[in-house]
Amino acid sequence: HSQSHDAAIMTKRDCRTVFIQIAQQTRLRSIFLKNDRVRLQSDLVPKVLKQSSFTSTEWEDRPSWWNKSQGESLSACQDDVDLLVGILDFGYGGFDSMVDHDYSFCSKLSEGNEEDKKPFTRAAVQCRINHLTRELHALDDSEEMMNLVKKKQAKRKSGEVEVPSANGPTKKKKSGAIQSGLKAFFQKTTPAAAKNQKTPPTSPEPAQDDSDVEIIGVKNQKC
């Protein structure tokens, strides 16, 4: 069309980068919604930084001041936490606005030398965020698995099992012991007990011997 124009021309590599950004942002946001910032800063992110799988993909051109605390109120992973918060607030399209914000790394970046500013690019930051999100995802999955195992163990101890119903949702019922009426079939009886055992009322009457049968004769009489 004569009035149409191309807003952007994206190569295969550009499309792949955008898809990765969408997947990363979606997963990171779900983790932040599930965990508060205090737990992320004091527990989850420090665990990520100690993971061997994360240290093997360490940020090679990381600024010298990155994650170095400037006060007692700041943790050793403050810059990484603020970076994750900032990318969720501004997105990759708002990278320049994020750098000018009041996050912990922004003041260090403005006060640092030019050599430290060069490696802090959008592409380098995305690589760092991808690695952090990947390890946070692994921690979250392992926690979910452990919680599922604990729930199943608790159900086994309480004697409840899940049985799928025809309508879809599962029904809970007590795991069965042997019914009281069937116990007699699983008990061993001694010969003496077998002789004294009475016939259950629901059983058919025992057959009689010929000695107990009384024969009655009937004479034919003429009318």
Side-chain angles (χ1 to χ4, degrees):
H1 195 273
S2 58
Q3 295 181 353
S4 64
H5 62 278
D6 296 330
I9 299 177
M10 301 180 66
T11 63
K12 182 178 180 181
R13 182 178 179 181
D14 295 334
C15 294
R16 181 176 180 272
T17 301
V18 172
F19 290 144
I20 291 175
Q21 289 176 356
I22 295 173
Q24 176 272 314
Q25 289 286 75
T26 303
R27 186 65 182 108
L28 183 62
R29 192 173 298 278
S30 66
I31 294 173
F32 267 73
L33 291 174
K34 183 178 179 180
N35 303 276
D36 56 16
R37 183 167 177 175
V38 175
R39 184 167 186 262
L40 284 164
Q41 185 169 325
S42 61
D43 184 24
L44 297 181
V45 176
K47 285 182 179 178
V48 166
L49 297 180
K50 295 177 181 178
Q51 293 287 340
S52 60
S53 57
F54 181 78
T55 55
S56 62
T57 56
E58 189 66 24
W59 191 357
E60 296 180 358
D61 297 328
R62 182 179 64 175
S64 58
W65 42 260
W66 192 260
N67 277 344
K68 288 187 177 180
S69 176
Q70 294 181 344
E72 295 181 356
S73 59
L74 299 178
S75 64
C77 60
Q78 187 68 45
D79 290 338
D80 280 324
V81 174
D82 283 353
L83 180 61
L84 296 176
V85 174
I87 206 64
L88 288 177
D89 290 341
F90 291 92
Y92 290 97
F95 177 79
D96 295 334
S97 300
M98 180 186 70
V99 172
D100 294 334
H101 202 61
D102 58 351
Y103 298 114
S104 60
F105 58 86
C106 295
S107 58
K108 300 175 186 177
L109 189 63
S110 60
E111 296 173 359
N113 52 36
E114 293 297 327
E115 293 182 359
D116 288 339
K117 294 180 181 179
K118 288 181 180 180
F120 200 82
T121 61
R122 193 191 311 264
V125 165
Q126 180 175 351
C127 185
R128 177 75 170 185
I129 293 172
N130 288 343
H131 294 160
L132 289 170
T133 305
R134 179 196 65 203
E135 297 300 329
L136 287 172
H137 166 73
L139 283 177
D140 184 69
D141 274 1
S142 62
E143 287 184 357
E144 288 289 341
M145 184 63 65
M146 292 301 297
N147 291 335
L148 183 61
V149 171
K150 290 179 181 178
K151 287 181 181 180
K152 288 186 177 181
Q153 290 177 348
K155 288 178 181 179
R156 290 194 189 100
K157 291 180 180 179
S158 62
E160 291 185 355
V161 294
E162 291 186 356
V163 179
S165 62
N167 296 329
T170 56
K171 295 181 179 180
K172 296 180 179 178
K173 72 174 185 178
K174 295 289 184 180
S175 57
I178 299 177
Q179 298 179 7
S180 57
L182 298 177
K183 287 183 178 180
F185 294 95
F186 298 96
Q187 292 177 351
K188 293 182 178 180
T189 56
T190 59
K195 292 181 179 180
N196 298 328
Q197 185 178 5
K198 295 182 179 180
T199 304
T202 56
S203 301
E205 293 294 334
Q208 294 180 346
D209 298 336
D210 293 342
S211 58
D212 295 334
V213 177
E214 181 179 357
I215 301 174
I216 301 175
V218 179
K219 295 181 179 181
N220 295 327
Q221 297 179 357
K222 295 181 180 181
C223 298

Tab-separated table of all heavy atoms in Angstrom, residues 24-26 28-29 32-33 37 81-99 101-106 129:
chain	number	residue	atom	x	y	z
A	24	GLN	N	11.928	-14.499	28.995
A	24	GLN	CA	12.664	-14.153	30.217
A	24	GLN	C	11.845	-13.230	31.102
A	24	GLN	O	11.757	-13.433	32.323
A	24	GLN	CB	14.003	-13.503	29.848
A	24	GLN	CG	14.824	-13.013	31.014
A	24	GLN	CD	14.475	-11.592	31.398
A	24	GLN	OE1	14.350	-10.721	30.537
A	24	GLN	NE2	14.306	-11.355	32.681
A	25	GLN	N	11.231	-12.204	30.514
A	25	GLN	CA	10.446	-11.256	31.299
A	25	GLN	C	9.229	-11.933	31.940
A	25	GLN	O	8.885	-11.653	33.093
A	25	GLN	CB	9.986	-10.100	30.408
A	25	GLN	CG	11.090	-9.153	29.975
A	25	GLN	CD	11.552	-8.243	31.094
A	25	GLN	OE1	12.271	-8.673	32.000
A	25	GLN	NE2	11.153	-6.994	31.044
A	26	THR	N	8.604	-12.831	31.201
A	26	THR	CA	7.430	-13.528	31.735
A	26	THR	C	7.798	-14.401	32.924
A	26	THR	O	7.116	-14.394	33.961
A	26	THR	CB	6.787	-14.391	30.630
A	26	THR	OG1	6.447	-13.560	29.519
A	26	THR	CG2	5.535	-15.079	31.142
A	28	LEU	N	10.556	-14.189	34.856
A	28	LEU	CA	11.065	-13.383	35.966
A	28	LEU	C	9.931	-12.700	36.716
A	28	LEU	O	9.944	-12.634	37.950
A	28	LEU	CB	12.052	-12.335	35.439
A	28	LEU	CG	12.727	-11.450	36.486
A	28	LEU	CD1	13.559	-12.280	37.445
A	28	LEU	CD2	13.600	-10.391	35.809
A	29	ARG	N	8.938	-12.226	36.002
A	29	ARG	CA	7.812	-11.567	36.666
A	29	ARG	C	7.035	-12.550	37.533
A	29	ARG	O	6.589	-12.209	38.639
A	29	ARG	CB	6.887	-10.930	35.629
A	29	ARG	CG	5.855	-9.987	36.227
A	29	ARG	CD	5.083	-9.267	35.126
A	29	ARG	NE	5.966	-8.453	34.307
A	29	ARG	CZ	6.388	-7.229	34.638
A	29	ARG	NH1	6.005	-6.699	35.788
A	29	ARG	NH2	7.180	-6.559	33.833
A	32	PHE	N	8.929	-12.975	40.758
A	32	PHE	CA	8.787	-11.808	41.631
A	32	PHE	C	7.388	-11.737	42.243
A	32	PHE	O	7.230	-11.255	43.373
A	32	PHE	CB	9.083	-10.525	40.845
A	32	PHE	CG	10.515	-10.079	40.947
A	32	PHE	CD1	11.513	-10.770	40.287
A	32	PHE	CD2	10.860	-8.980	41.708
A	32	PHE	CE1	12.837	-10.375	40.371
A	32	PHE	CE2	12.183	-8.574	41.818
A	32	PHE	CZ	13.190	-9.271	41.146
A	33	LEU	N	6.375	-12.181	41.529
A	33	LEU	CA	5.030	-12.203	42.094
A	33	LEU	C	4.891	-13.266	43.171
A	33	LEU	O	4.113	-13.120	44.115
A	33	LEU	CB	4.004	-12.444	40.983
A	33	LEU	CG	3.804	-11.305	39.980
A	33	LEU	CD1	2.876	-11.747	38.856
A	33	LEU	CD2	3.251	-10.066	40.670
A	37	ARG	N	10.441	-9.136	47.728
A	37	ARG	CA	11.787	-8.653	47.433
A	37	ARG	C	12.763	-8.987	48.553
A	37	ARG	O	13.960	-9.196	48.303
A	37	ARG	CB	11.748	-7.146	47.190
A	37	ARG	CG	13.102	-6.563	46.801
A	37	ARG	CD	12.988	-5.163	46.271
A	37	ARG	NE	14.291	-4.598	45.971
A	37	ARG	CZ	14.477	-3.416	45.396
A	37	ARG	NH1	13.430	-2.686	45.050
A	37	ARG	NH2	15.700	-2.972	45.161
A	81	VAL	N	19.905	-7.447	42.214
A	81	VAL	CA	18.485	-7.348	42.547
A	81	VAL	C	17.874	-6.108	41.901
A	81	VAL	O	16.785	-6.160	41.310
A	81	VAL	CB	18.291	-7.320	44.076
A	81	VAL	CG1	16.823	-7.065	44.432
A	81	VAL	CG2	18.758	-8.622	44.700
A	82	ASP	N	18.580	-4.976	41.991
A	82	ASP	CA	18.066	-3.752	41.373
A	82	ASP	C	18.017	-3.866	39.853
A	82	ASP	O	17.130	-3.285	39.199
A	82	ASP	CB	18.942	-2.565	41.781
A	82	ASP	CG	18.654	-2.083	43.191
A	82	ASP	OD1	17.687	-2.593	43.795
A	82	ASP	OD2	19.381	-1.211	43.696
A	83	LEU	N	18.946	-4.598	39.280
A	83	LEU	CA	18.930	-4.791	37.835
A	83	LEU	C	17.698	-5.579	37.406
A	83	LEU	O	17.048	-5.241	36.404
A	83	LEU	CB	20.201	-5.516	37.396
A	83	LEU	CG	20.343	-5.803	35.898
A	83	LEU	CD1	20.356	-4.505	35.092
A	83	LEU	CD2	21.600	-6.616	35.629
A	84	LEU	N	17.342	-6.604	38.167
A	84	LEU	CA	16.147	-7.379	37.856
A	84	LEU	C	14.881	-6.544	38.042
A	84	LEU	O	13.955	-6.609	37.224
A	84	LEU	CB	16.089	-8.630	38.746
A	84	LEU	CG	17.210	-9.654	38.552
A	84	LEU	CD1	17.071	-10.786	39.556
A	84	LEU	CD2	17.228	-10.198	37.138
A	85	VAL	N	14.852	-5.768	39.107
A	85	VAL	CA	13.694	-4.897	39.339
A	85	VAL	C	13.589	-3.848	38.235
A	85	VAL	O	12.494	-3.559	37.727
A	85	VAL	CB	13.804	-4.222	40.720
A	85	VAL	CG1	12.690	-3.196	40.912
A	85	VAL	CG2	13.751	-5.258	41.831
A	86	GLY	N	14.725	-3.277	37.858
A	86	GLY	CA	14.712	-2.239	36.836
A	86	GLY	C	14.268	-2.740	35.481
A	86	GLY	O	13.515	-2.061	34.769
A	87	ILE	N	14.689	-3.945	35.092
A	87	ILE	CA	14.308	-4.462	33.782
A	87	ILE	C	12.829	-4.820	33.747
A	87	ILE	O	12.190	-4.792	32.685
A	87	ILE	CB	15.193	-5.677	33.398
A	87	ILE	CG1	15.269	-5.818	31.867
A	87	ILE	CG2	14.690	-6.946	34.048
A	87	ILE	CD1	15.932	-4.673	31.175
A	88	LEU	N	12.260	-5.160	34.902
A	88	LEU	CA	10.820	-5.395	34.962
A	88	LEU	C	10.052	-4.080	34.923
A	88	LEU	O	8.943	-4.023	34.373
A	88	LEU	CB	10.460	-6.173	36.234
A	88	LEU	CG	10.875	-7.648	36.274
A	88	LEU	CD1	10.522	-8.253	37.628
A	88	LEU	CD2	10.220	-8.440	35.154
A	89	ASP	N	10.603	-3.031	35.503
A	89	ASP	CA	9.921	-1.732	35.516
A	89	ASP	C	9.992	-1.031	34.165
A	89	ASP	O	8.999	-0.460	33.695
A	89	ASP	CB	10.537	-0.828	36.587
A	89	ASP	CG	10.215	-1.305	38.000
A	89	ASP	OD1	9.256	-2.086	38.151
A	89	ASP	OD2	10.930	-0.905	38.936
A	90	PHE	N	11.150	-1.056	33.510
A	90	PHE	CA	11.355	-0.281	32.285
A	90	PHE	C	11.375	-1.147	31.022
A	90	PHE	O	11.102	-0.638	29.937
A	90	PHE	CB	12.673	0.500	32.382
A	90	PHE	CG	12.640	1.605	33.397
A	90	PHE	CD1	13.042	1.378	34.698
A	90	PHE	CD2	12.208	2.874	33.045
A	90	PHE	CE1	13.019	2.400	35.638
A	90	PHE	CE2	12.177	3.910	33.975
A	90	PHE	CZ	12.573	3.669	35.282
A	91	GLY	N	11.713	-2.433	31.154
A	91	GLY	CA	11.836	-3.264	29.974
A	91	GLY	C	13.114	-2.954	29.215
A	91	GLY	O	13.841	-2.010	29.527
A	92	TYR	N	13.370	-3.756	28.186
A	92	TYR	CA	14.589	-3.550	27.398
A	92	TYR	C	14.496	-2.294	26.533
A	92	TYR	O	15.510	-1.674	26.225
A	92	TYR	CB	14.866	-4.774	26.529
A	92	TYR	CG	15.283	-5.979	27.327
A	92	TYR	CD1	14.355	-6.961	27.678
A	92	TYR	CD2	16.596	-6.139	27.741
A	92	TYR	CE1	14.734	-8.070	28.413
A	92	TYR	CE2	16.984	-7.243	28.474
A	92	TYR	CZ	16.040	-8.202	28.812
A	92	TYR	OH	16.416	-9.297	29.553
A	93	GLY	N	13.280	-1.926	26.174
A	93	GLY	CA	13.110	-0.701	25.391
A	93	GLY	C	13.401	0.553	26.193
A	93	GLY	O	13.752	1.588	25.627
A	94	GLY	N	13.262	0.472	27.499
A	94	GLY	CA	13.529	1.618	28.367
A	94	GLY	C	14.859	1.510	29.081
A	94	GLY	O	14.988	1.985	30.214
A	95	PHE	N	15.837	0.878	28.442
A	95	PHE	CA	17.137	0.669	29.069
A	95	PHE	C	17.806	1.992	29.450
A	95	PHE	O	18.344	2.143	30.547
A	95	PHE	CB	18.047	-0.129	28.133
A	95	PHE	CG	19.435	-0.343	28.657
A	95	PHE	CD1	19.688	-1.322	29.608
A	95	PHE	CD2	20.502	0.445	28.209
A	95	PHE	CE1	20.969	-1.521	30.098
A	95	PHE	CE2	21.778	0.252	28.686
A	95	PHE	CZ	22.021	-0.733	29.636
A	96	ASP	N	17.753	2.983	28.549
A	96	ASP	CA	18.389	4.271	28.835
A	96	ASP	C	17.726	4.971	30.019
A	96	ASP	O	18.409	5.602	30.833
A	96	ASP	CB	18.341	5.161	27.592
A	96	ASP	CG	19.160	4.585	26.445
A	96	ASP	OD1	20.122	3.831	26.723
A	96	ASP	OD2	18.835	4.878	25.273
A	97	SER	N	16.414	4.855	30.116
A	97	SER	CA	15.708	5.456	31.261
A	97	SER	C	16.043	4.728	32.552
A	97	SER	O	16.140	5.343	33.617
A	97	SER	CB	14.202	5.431	31.012
A	97	SER	OG	13.866	6.164	29.851
A	98	MET	N	16.223	3.426	32.473
A	98	MET	CA	16.582	2.651	33.661
A	98	MET	C	17.953	3.066	34.189
A	98	MET	O	18.155	3.170	35.407
A	98	MET	CB	16.576	1.152	33.328
A	98	MET	CG	16.940	0.258	34.497
A	98	MET	SD	17.100	-1.488	34.019
A	98	MET	CE	18.611	-1.421	33.050
A	99	VAL	N	18.893	3.309	33.297
A	99	VAL	CA	20.242	3.687	33.711
A	99	VAL	C	20.235	5.037	34.429
A	99	VAL	O	21.046	5.279	35.322
A	99	VAL	CB	21.174	3.714	32.485
A	99	VAL	CG1	22.539	4.283	32.848
A	99	VAL	CG2	21.334	2.313	31.920
A	101	HIS	N	17.866	6.082	36.356
A	101	HIS	CA	17.007	6.001	37.543
A	101	HIS	C	17.882	5.999	38.806
A	101	HIS	O	19.099	6.200	38.740
A	101	HIS	CB	16.138	4.755	37.457
A	101	HIS	CG	14.906	4.807	38.296
A	101	HIS	ND1	13.938	5.760	38.117
A	101	HIS	CD2	14.479	4.024	39.318
A	101	HIS	CE1	12.958	5.565	38.989
A	101	HIS	NE2	13.269	4.513	39.738
A	102	ASP	N	17.217	5.768	39.955
A	102	ASP	CA	17.936	5.835	41.235
A	102	ASP	C	18.269	4.452	41.798
A	102	ASP	O	18.293	4.261	43.016
A	102	ASP	CB	17.109	6.618	42.268
A	102	ASP	CG	15.739	6.013	42.488
A	102	ASP	OD1	15.364	5.089	41.728
A	102	ASP	OD2	15.024	6.452	43.415
A	103	TYR	N	18.521	3.486	40.943
A	103	TYR	CA	18.923	2.171	41.431
A	103	TYR	C	20.361	2.230	41.944
A	103	TYR	O	21.105	3.186	41.666
A	103	TYR	CB	18.798	1.125	40.323
A	103	TYR	CG	17.388	0.936	39.827
A	103	TYR	CD1	17.034	1.291	38.529
A	103	TYR	CD2	16.402	0.421	40.663
A	103	TYR	CE1	15.740	1.128	38.072
A	103	TYR	CE2	15.101	0.269	40.219
A	103	TYR	CZ	14.772	0.620	38.923
A	103	TYR	OH	13.480	0.468	38.482
A	104	SER	N	20.757	1.205	42.671
A	104	SER	CA	22.065	1.219	43.319
A	104	SER	C	23.207	1.314	42.319
A	104	SER	O	24.217	1.985	42.563
A	104	SER	CB	22.234	-0.036	44.183
A	104	SER	OG	22.137	-1.198	43.383
A	105	PHE	N	23.058	0.672	41.169
A	105	PHE	CA	24.149	0.677	40.191
A	105	PHE	C	24.179	1.955	39.355
A	105	PHE	O	25.174	2.232	38.686
A	105	PHE	CB	24.042	-0.543	39.265
A	105	PHE	CG	22.740	-0.626	38.517
A	105	PHE	CD1	22.579	0.034	37.305
A	105	PHE	CD2	21.685	-1.371	39.003
A	105	PHE	CE1	21.389	-0.035	36.608
A	105	PHE	CE2	20.494	-1.453	38.315
A	105	PHE	CZ	20.352	-0.781	37.109
A	106	CYS	N	23.095	2.751	39.375
A	106	CYS	CA	23.048	3.956	38.546
A	106	CYS	C	24.048	5.006	39.038
A	106	CYS	O	24.772	5.617	38.230
A	106	CYS	CB	21.644	4.533	38.545
A	106	CYS	SG	20.415	3.458	37.770
A	129	ILE	N	21.021	-10.832	32.884
A	129	ILE	CA	19.651	-11.062	33.355
A	129	ILE	C	19.180	-12.458	32.968
A	129	ILE	O	18.475	-13.134	33.747
A	129	ILE	CB	18.717	-9.979	32.796
A	129	ILE	CG1	19.071	-8.618	33.393
A	129	ILE	CG2	17.257	-10.306	33.094
A	129	ILE	CD1	18.337	-7.462	32.757
